Amino acid sequence: MVAYMAPASGEADGEAVPIFGIKIPAGYRDWRLISVAHEEGSLNDLRAILGNDVAIKASQEGTLPYPDGTIIARLAWNYEPLAESEKAFGRLQSFVAGQPKNAVQFMVRDSSKYASTGGWGFAQFDDRKAAGEAVHNTCFACHSLVKGRDFVFNRYAL
């Protein structure tokens, strides 16, 4: 069970998000990759989905519901065409990560603490500052669309 999440290095205690009280976990950028994604529409970004050791094990084994202690991170970037790909292929074909978008989001599994939101707490940090309550009020409604996958959109990339 997650009782306390240490702030990322270089952050003086860090700021917790409203509603869920989650802080940026220490070392999250060193977590292993669960999957990658391309989001279209108004978001139109590239995403890396990372997980702590509990998340990785559950993802690899297909464990549902995810066990308490699971933390999933979502990093997103604008994507930009790689100019060299046009020279190599005669058209823009390759794209690379550009500027970060919506900084970082987390899902934290604690079935008791977050029982009213399917056992998950949600967090978004923009420029290392917690996003407001209005942002966090929208998380569960969107994730409820994938209740059959324990409210997690991504799938483990084999």
Side-chain angles (χ1 to χ4, degrees):
M1 193 174 296
V2 177
Y4 170 76
M5 292 173 40
S9 60
E11 235 181 279
D13 258 14
E15 177 182 3
V17 298
I19 304 171
F20 300 103
I22 296 168
K23 295 182 178 185
I24 296 175
Y28 74 91
R29 286 193 176 264
D30 293 327
W31 292 353
R32 292 182 21 216
L33 183 70
I34 294 174
S35 69
V36 295
H38 171 225
E39 184 74 28
E40 289 197 3
S42 61
L43 298 174
N44 204 23
D45 59 33
L46 296 174
R47 297 171 174 214
I49 311 302
L50 309 176
N52 68 356
D53 289 341
V54 179
I56 295 296
K57 185 175 189 291
S59 295
Q60 288 174 334
E61 295 174 357
T63 302
L64 293 179
Y66 284 82
D68 283 355
T70 295
I71 308 174
I72 298 170
R74 192 278 292 149
L75 307 175
W77 300 267
N78 286 317
Y79 64 95
E80 300 172 356
L82 185 62
E84 293 83 358
S85 73
E86 187 170 19
K87 292 174 186 169
F89 302 108
R91 64 186 169 89
L92 290 175
Q93 179 170 310
S94 301
F95 296 84
V96 295
Q99 292 297 311
K101 289 181 79 172
N102 292 344
V104 63
Q105 295 176 339
F106 296 97
M107 289 180 66
V108 177
R109 180 75 167 155
D110 184 326
S111 57
S112 298
K113 186 175 183 178
Y114 306 121
S116 66
T117 52
W120 290 98
F122 300 89
Q124 178 171 315
F125 296 89
D126 300 311
D127 296 322
R128 295 196 164 279
K129 295 189 184 336
E133 188 169 332
V135 168
H136 292 95
N137 279 329
T138 66
C139 297
F140 183 63
C142 190
H143 281 264
S144 67
L145 298 171
V146 288
K147 182 178 180 181
R149 288 199 307 266
D150 195 22
F151 307 96
V152 176
F153 282 103
N154 62 279
R155 297 185 179 122
Y156 185 71
L158 300 173

